[in-house]
């Protein structure tokens, strides 16, 4: 080993011995006195000194440069009562006992809106960092307490279409988003039935999203990082919540196991009664979370997590069309059948050991496994008589897309404080993958593949504070077995605190992705899943992010931020479905590379006034792509480009037992290709001897139009109940309180239609089909015990 390679080891050894700088180091965890769970975003300061820290995602803080002698630590958080603790500093390093804070009484819930100001990881300097608490998510009427629907109200994040749960972040492909559940990568973390996410909000403790410019600790994706942390469980008493409804049941139960261990169990089960009895379509999903935490003294913390979900959907619209024909007798749908069937599942397990080696050194080690399987089938079968010739024509098109993913790996990260404002982090990770893919068009396989690559990666970050200036430099090294080379990904971020509450931030980084998703939108009416496939003997997808941000406090309770970004996409992949079977033996041979660019400006205001709180954002941007096989290499608008996006959320806390909420989204429509010409493909069924055809649209210009703008207005209320079903159920369960939740969706259904796609009719006419034809009202009862 070269002598220079020993430098990081010597620095960390020096820190572990407590010789990392002048003064002493204090560290410890901050917990909620009512539950025993750790608290994120607590300000910890040394009274009479201008030094302090903020608890991170683990509720852990570390303060270096503390002088000898008695001092007083002040702990403060908006949702907790302040507390002071006296410490007699004698040793070079002190690990404190857990500091418990008592919650304030803030009405129904303490709502924390988004943004850097709300706390979270104190080392997060990226302009695109956002954090959402479960209370903030629950306060948005439209998402139905869903994480993925809620993040669409953040600047830079938008859905791909009304019926798909996929999201695009700052002009990126949905397959470029890294989603982590307690540090475990989750592939396709969605439920298809409600176009929602897998994560039960009752089990969620914290949600963080980095929409670009993230640090070297994250790799494998080019667009964004969404990190979801689950709750640890109540170590004081038995606690639970249950929310029964006509369409499903949601519940959580957490309890102590002895003095130092806790367990949390949560689950959801959804059943679509309308589809079941009206269309004879049994559509269901469920998800479960299990969490076990064991605190082994002051220095060690063991966490075990398990997650499982499954979706089963079988939409058969032939029954609906039969009802339609019997009612209106149009003759249009006598021989029309549309069917969509999907079966997909997600499983994840992990074990995490957190160790405070010394007050200056913190070690986190994790092993995990993530498993995904899906089988999606769609069928359109339509028979009609050609009016001019009297010939019977049958349109038949059937697809089946299968995907299996196995991701087993390990990861370790060691963080050391080398001084009052100097922290070094070193990490390593390894993953063993398994990918199986197959696409069948009209029962003919496009070429099944099974690939098992491996990934090894390491990263280093150096965080240095120079008064009001903070700089974090990092490097990530990755080796993908199908690539065979060590790849470098440099990262850099900085923040500068100026007078009058002004904060300047910037980030730059290089990002690589060794797997890509199949753009099955070309096959399906709507793409519900990312079907991942590893890149083999190809350069990785690559992009460079450059972001600058300005942030300023407008008052004690409001803040404004402005971010500008440029994303240079030097390499991106898509599948060319015009390649014939003679040119491509397998569908992976149809992969084509291209380039792209995304740029924009985003504004976010967040604040509170008296009993009102919320946020509003506006974004303007443009995202393009360029492929040699499309339009002869000319630039065209990206499929999920939205020029303008305005979003707003407001909550009104009338009194401690009643709150109202509202949300509004006004978005530019996504680009669309209006095709005037079709190419017909013929399918011969050797079993029946029948010949069918299916037309495919064709046009010389990609995305030559744009759908109308999307306008979504929703409202909701939450009220504590003392009479009726909710109160009776609470008394039956021995619960302390119950609430009723009412949501009003699609309030502008009478004034605006959100078009999903256009259907060609006779001549040059196009008919826009939407999803918000009627308003929707949903209600449920939540019981807490």
């Amino acid at each position: 080993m070269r002598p220079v390679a020993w430098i990081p080891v010597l620095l960390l050894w020096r820190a572990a011995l407590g010789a990392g700088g002048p003064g002493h180091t204090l560290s410890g965890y901050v917990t909620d006195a009512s539950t025993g769970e750790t608290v994120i975003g607590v300000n910890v300061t040394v009274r009479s000194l201008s030094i302090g820290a903020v608890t991170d995602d683990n509720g852990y803080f570390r303060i270096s440069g503390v002088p000898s002698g008695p001092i007083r630590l002040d702990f403060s958080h908006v949702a907790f009562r302040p507390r002071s603790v006296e410490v007699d500093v004698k040793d070079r390093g002190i690990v404190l006992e857990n500091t418990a804070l008592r919650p304030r009484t803030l009405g129904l819930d303490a709502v924390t809106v988004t943004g850097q100001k709300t706390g979270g990881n104190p080392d997060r300097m990226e302009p695109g960092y956002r954090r959402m608490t479960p209370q903030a998510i629950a306060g948005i009427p439209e998402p139905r307490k869903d994480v993925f629907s809620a993040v669409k109200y953040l600047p830079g994040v938008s859905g791909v279409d009304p019926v798909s749960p996929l999201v695009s972040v700052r002009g990126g492909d949905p397959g470029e988003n890294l989603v982590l559940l307690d540090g475990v990568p989750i592939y396709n973390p969605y439920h298809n039935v409600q176009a929602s996410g897998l994560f039960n909000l009752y089990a969620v403790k914290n949600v963080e999203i980095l929409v670009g410019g993230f640090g070297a600790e994250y790799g494998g994706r080019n667009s964004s990082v969404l990190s979801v942390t689950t709750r640890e469980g109540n170590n004081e008493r038995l606690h639970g919540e249950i929310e029964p409804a006509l369409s499903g049941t949601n519940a959580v139960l957490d309890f102590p196991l002895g003095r130092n261990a806790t367990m949390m169990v949560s689950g959801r089960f959804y059943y679509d009664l309308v589809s079941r009895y009206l269309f004879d379509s049994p559509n269901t999903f469920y998800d479960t979370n299990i969490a076990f935490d064991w605190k082994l003294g002051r220095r060690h913390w063991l966490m075990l997590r398990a997650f499982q979900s499954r979706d089963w959907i079988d939409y058969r619209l032939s029954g609906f069309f039969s009802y339609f024909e019997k009612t209106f007798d149009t003759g249009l749908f006598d021989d029309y059948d549309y069917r969509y069937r999907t079966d997909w599942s997600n499983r994840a397990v992990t074990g995490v050991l957190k160790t405070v080696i010394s007050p200056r050194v913190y070690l986190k080690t994790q092993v995990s496994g993530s498993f995904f399987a899906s089988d999606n089938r769609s069928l359109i079968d339509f028979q009609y008589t050609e009016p001019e010739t009297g010939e019977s024509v049958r349109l038949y098109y059937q697809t089946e897309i299968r995907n299996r993913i196995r991701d087993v790996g390990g990861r370790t990260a060691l963080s050391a404080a080398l001084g009052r404002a100097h922290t070094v982090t070193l990490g390593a990770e390894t993953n063993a993958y398994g990918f199986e893919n197959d696409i069948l068009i009209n029962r003919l396989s496009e070429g099944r593949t099974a690939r098992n690559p491996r990934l090894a990666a390491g990263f280093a970050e150096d965080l240095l504070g120079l008064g009001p200036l903070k700089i974090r430099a990092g490097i990530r090294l990755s080796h993908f077995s199908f690539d065979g080379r060590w790849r470098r990904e440099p990262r850099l971020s900085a923040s500068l605190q100026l007078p009058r509450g002004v904060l300047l931030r910037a980030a730059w980084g290089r990002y690589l992705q060794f797997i890509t998703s199949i753009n099955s939108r070309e096959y399906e009416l709507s793409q519900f899943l990312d079907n991942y496939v590893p890149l083999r003997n190809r350069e990785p997808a690559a992009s460079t992010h450059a972001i600058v941000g300005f942030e300023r406090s407008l008052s004690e309770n409001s803040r404004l931020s402005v971010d500008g970004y440029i994303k240079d996409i030097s390499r991106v992949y898509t599948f060319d479905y015009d390649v014939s079977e003679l040119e491509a033996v397998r569908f992976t041979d149809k992969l084509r590379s291209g380039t792209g660019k995304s740029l924009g400006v985003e504004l976010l205001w967040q604040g509170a006034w008296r009993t009102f709180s919320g946020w509003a954002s506006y974004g303007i941007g443009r995202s393009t792509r360029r492929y040699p096989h499309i339009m002869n290499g000319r630039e065209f608008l990206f499929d999920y480009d939205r020029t303008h996006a305005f979003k707003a959320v407001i909550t009104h806390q009338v009194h401690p037992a009643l709150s109202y909420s509202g949300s509004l989204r006004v978005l530019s429509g996504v680009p669309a290709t209006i095709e005037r010409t079709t190419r017909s493909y013929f399918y011969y069924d050797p079993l029946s001897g029948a010949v069918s055809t299916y037309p495919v649209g064709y046009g010389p210009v990609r995305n030559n139009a744009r759908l109308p703008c999307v306008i979504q207005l929703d409202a909701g209320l939450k009220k504590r109940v003392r009479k009726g079903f909710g109160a009776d159920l609470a008394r039956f369960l021995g619960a302390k309180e119950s609430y009723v939740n009412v949501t009003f969706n699609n309030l502008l259904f009478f004034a605006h239609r959100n078009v999903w796609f256009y259907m060609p009719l006779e001549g040059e006419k196009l008919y826009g089909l939407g999803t918000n034809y009627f308003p929707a009202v949903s209600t449920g009862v939540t019981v807490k015990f």
Side-chain angles (χ1 to χ4, degrees):
M1 183 181 290
R2 297 181 180 179
V4 70
W6 288 97
I7 293 178
V9 179
L10 294 175
L11 290 174
L12 294 175
W13 178 255
R14 182 169 177 259
L17 294 176
H24 306 267
T25 298
L26 303 179
S27 66
Y29 291 96
V30 179
T31 61
D32 184 335
S34 63
T35 66
E37 293 189 283
T38 56
V39 183
I40 301 171
V42 177
N43 292 293
V44 187
T45 57
V46 180
R47 187 176 296 184
S48 74
L49 297 176
S50 58
I51 57 175
V54 180
T55 56
D56 61 14
D57 301 343
N58 305 303
Y60 180 76
F61 72 92
R62 180 170 52 198
I63 305 175
S64 299
V66 180
S68 301
I71 63 166
R72 182 175 291 274
L73 291 177
D74 293 325
F75 298 81
S76 62
H77 189 283
V78 65
F80 294 86
R81 298 175 183 175
R83 182 180 176 184
S84 297
V85 176
E86 291 186 358
V87 181
D88 189 7
V89 181
K90 296 180 181 179
D91 300 328
R92 293 286 295 175
I94 300 176
V95 180
L96 301 176
E97 294 278 0
N98 291 348
T99 304
L101 303 182
R102 296 194 174 278
R104 297 176 186 266
T105 302
L106 294 175
L108 290 174
D109 283 304
V111 176
T112 303
V113 295
T114 65
Q116 184 74 19
K117 184 73 174 177
T118 63
N121 194 326
D123 298 336
R124 288 279 176 240
M125 298 184 298
E126 298 92 338
Y129 172 77
R130 306 282 183 245
R131 173 174 173 256
M132 301 186 79
T133 65
Q135 292 82 11
I137 296 173
I140 307 174
E142 190 265 340
R144 301 181 299 273
K145 299 183 180 179
D146 174 58
V147 171
F148 271 87
S149 298
V151 298
K152 296 176 185 178
Y153 283 86
L154 298 179
V157 183
S158 61
V160 299
D161 65 50
V163 300
S164 173
L166 302 181
V167 296
S168 173
V169 178
R170 284 184 173 174
D173 190 85
E176 296 176 340
N177 302 320
L178 176 62
V179 179
L180 301 172
L181 177 63
D182 294 314
V184 183
I186 304 296
Y187 296 84
N188 290 300
Y190 319 110
H191 284 306
N192 195 345
V193 177
Q194 288 188 319
S196 61
L198 296 180
F199 310 123
N200 185 351
L201 194 62
Y202 286 142
V204 172
K205 176 181 180 180
N206 185 49
V207 177
E208 291 183 318
I209 184 169
L210 295 139
V211 294
F214 40 91
E217 64 181 300
Y218 299 113
R221 297 294 189 277
N222 284 351
S223 193
S224 71
V225 178
L226 176 67
S227 179
V228 178
T229 305
T230 56
R231 294 173 44 214
E232 298 119 41
N234 195 316
N235 72 348
E236 297 294 326
R237 57 182 176 82
L238 175 67
H239 166 266
E241 294 186 38
I242 183 171
E243 184 177 0
L246 292 177
S247 59
T249 300
N250 193 348
V252 64
L253 186 69
D254 50 317
F255 47 88
L257 292 174
R259 294 184 56 187
N260 299 315
T262 60
M263 178 168 280
M264 187 269 298
V265 180
S266 69
R268 288 187 298 177
F269 183 72
Y270 175 86
Y271 29 87
D272 190 348
L273 294 179
V274 175
S275 297
R276 179 66 180 87
Y277 292 103
L278 184 59
F279 305 138
D280 191 24
S281 299
N283 305 323
T284 63
F285 75 71
Y286 75 86
D287 57 61
T288 58
N289 290 81
I290 300 176
F292 172 78
D293 288 76
W294 189 10
K295 296 177 181 177
L296 308 171
R298 301 185 191 181
R299 295 179 179 266
H300 305 282
W301 184 0
L302 176 64
M303 301 170 54
L304 301 177
R305 299 287 189 271
F307 169 80
Q308 181 169 335
S309 72
R310 185 173 182 181
D311 280 58
W312 171 256
I313 298 174
D314 191 359
Y315 277 118
R316 292 175 293 210
L317 296 187
S318 56
F320 172 76
F321 291 133
S322 176
Y323 300 150
F324 187 87
E325 287 300 328
K326 290 178 180 179
T327 303
F328 299 100
D329 193 22
T330 64
L332 294 175
F333 301 107
D334 286 334
D335 296 301
Y336 187 93
D337 188 18
Y338 175 84
R339 184 170 183 176
Y340 177 78
R341 191 179 73 179
T342 182
D343 181 8
W344 82 57
S345 62
N346 252 306
R347 291 176 293 142
V349 292
T350 186
V352 183
L353 180 62
K354 302 176 183 179
T355 303
V356 181
I357 298 176
S358 78
R360 294 180 183 269
V361 182
Y362 185 84
L363 176 66
K364 181 179 178 181
T365 304
Q366 181 171 11
V367 293
S368 64
S370 181
F371 310 90
F372 172 78
S374 68
D375 188 350
N376 294 339
R377 301 182 184 185
S378 61
L379 169 67
I380 296 179
D381 191 355
F382 181 33
Q383 190 164 345
Y384 68 97
T385 301
E386 184 68 35
E388 296 182 0
T389 64
E391 181 183 359
S392 178
V393 179
R394 184 188 183 196
L395 299 180
Y396 181 88
Y397 184 60
Q398 178 179 332
T399 66
E400 182 174 359
I401 302 177
R402 304 167 183 168
N403 192 201
R404 302 287 187 275
I405 300 174
R406 182 192 69 250
D407 182 352
V408 179
R411 173 186 175 94
T412 185
L414 191 147
S415 174
L418 305 182
R420 176 183 297 182
H422 189 193
T423 302
V424 172
T425 303
L426 299 178
E429 60 186 82
T430 181
N431 297 82
Y433 298 105
F435 293 90
E436 296 182 19
N437 301 87
D438 196 5
I439 297 178
L440 293 89
I441 306 297
N442 292 328
R443 305 176 188 174
L444 299 177
S445 174
E446 297 277 299
R448 179 181 178 274
T449 63
R451 297 176 176 178
N452 300 282
R454 291 179 175 272
L455 174 70
F459 67 90
E461 288 188 326
D462 192 348
L463 175 62
L464 184 63
L466 304 172
L469 175 65
K470 287 185 178 181
I471 300 175
R472 186 182 66 188
I475 183 73
R476 184 177 182 87
L477 301 175
S478 303
H479 182 276
F480 194 63
S481 61
F482 284 179
D483 179 49
R485 295 173 51 189
W486 283 97
R487 303 276 185 169
R488 296 187 299 272
E489 300 173 69
R491 315 279 173 87
L492 181 66
S493 59
S495 66
L496 177 62
Q497 186 69 57
L498 300 177
R500 299 185 179 181
V502 175
L503 178 66
L504 301 180
R505 293 181 293 172
W508 176 90
R510 175 78 169 165
Y511 302 89
L512 301 177
Q513 185 166 332
F514 298 96
I515 64 175
T516 188
S517 62
I518 304 170
N519 46 303
S520 61
R521 194 183 186 199
E522 303 287 340
Y523 282 134
E524 303 171 303
L525 184 60
S526 178
Q527 183 175 345
F528 293 92
L529 287 172
D530 283 312
N531 296 282
Y532 289 97
V533 60
L535 296 172
R536 188 170 188 173
N537 300 324
R538 295 178 183 270
E539 293 288 312
S543 65
T544 301
H545 300 187
I547 310 170
V548 294
F550 166 88
E551 198 170 313
R552 182 179 180 181
S553 297
L554 303 179
S555 65
E556 182 179 358
N557 297 316
S558 68
R559 197 167 184 85
L560 175 69
S561 65
V562 182
D563 293 343
Y565 65 91
I566 297 177
K567 185 188 297 185
D568 181 16
I569 306 171
S570 56
R571 191 179 303 107
V572 65
Y573 289 96
T574 189
F575 285 83
D576 181 6
Y577 294 103
D578 288 332
V579 176
S580 69
E581 282 70 17
L582 297 178
E583 301 175 83
V585 178
R586 295 181 177 87
F587 73 90
T588 51
D589 298 329
K590 301 181 180 182
L591 200 60
R592 298 290 182 264
S593 65
T595 60
K597 183 170 290 186
S598 182
L599 68 161
V601 177
E602 298 166 354
L603 291 82
L604 172 65
W605 172 88
Q606 53 181 315
W609 178 73
R610 295 185 178 178
T611 57
F612 295 88
S613 64
W615 68 88
S617 70
Y618 170 74
I620 181 172
R622 177 180 173 86
S623 181
T624 59
R625 294 292 187 272
R626 189 192 300 266
Y627 294 98
H629 69 285
I630 299 178
M631 295 168 49
N632 296 319
R634 286 182 293 157
E635 187 178 72
F636 61 91
L637 287 175
F638 180 50
D639 293 344
Y640 307 127
D641 172 76
R642 294 189 189 272
T643 306
H644 303 280
F646 174 80
K647 309 168 187 179
V649 175
I650 186 172
T651 300
H652 176 33
Q653 189 77 50
V654 180
H655 55 75
L658 176 64
S659 67
Y660 296 100
S661 59
S663 61
L664 173 66
R665 284 190 299 167
V666 182
L667 315 173
S668 297
V670 295
T673 302
I674 304 300
E675 299 150 330
R676 300 298 183 184
T677 305
T678 60
R679 293 178 295 186
S680 294
Y681 291 80
F682 293 90
Y683 166 65
Y684 171 70
D685 188 349
L687 298 179
S688 63
V691 177
S692 304
T693 181
Y694 61 95
V696 176
Y698 175 78
V701 181
R702 177 75 172 262
N703 291 338
N704 57 355
R706 188 181 288 273
L707 297 180
C709 68
V710 175
I711 303 178
Q712 180 82 25
L713 177 64
D714 306 290
L717 68 87
K718 182 177 182 179
K719 185 180 186 301
R720 184 178 299 166
V721 294
R722 295 179 173 83
K723 297 180 180 180
F725 170 76
D728 294 339
L729 181 60
R731 283 190 290 269
F732 174 78
L733 296 175
K736 60 180 182 180
E737 54 193 10
S738 61
Y739 304 90
V740 61
N741 303 279
V742 183
T743 302
F744 306 91
N745 299 118
N746 297 329
L747 295 181
L748 296 179
F749 74 99
F750 61 92
H752 181 79
R753 178 78 62 245
N754 293 330
V755 176
W756 177 17
F757 68 96
Y758 281 108
M759 174 178 288
L761 299 178
E762 295 181 1
E764 298 293 319
K765 296 181 180 179
L766 296 172
Y767 182 77
L769 296 179
T771 58
N772 62 330
Y773 290 97
F774 305 102
V777 180
S778 60
T779 182
V781 175
T782 302
V783 177
K784 294 184 178 182
F785 56 91

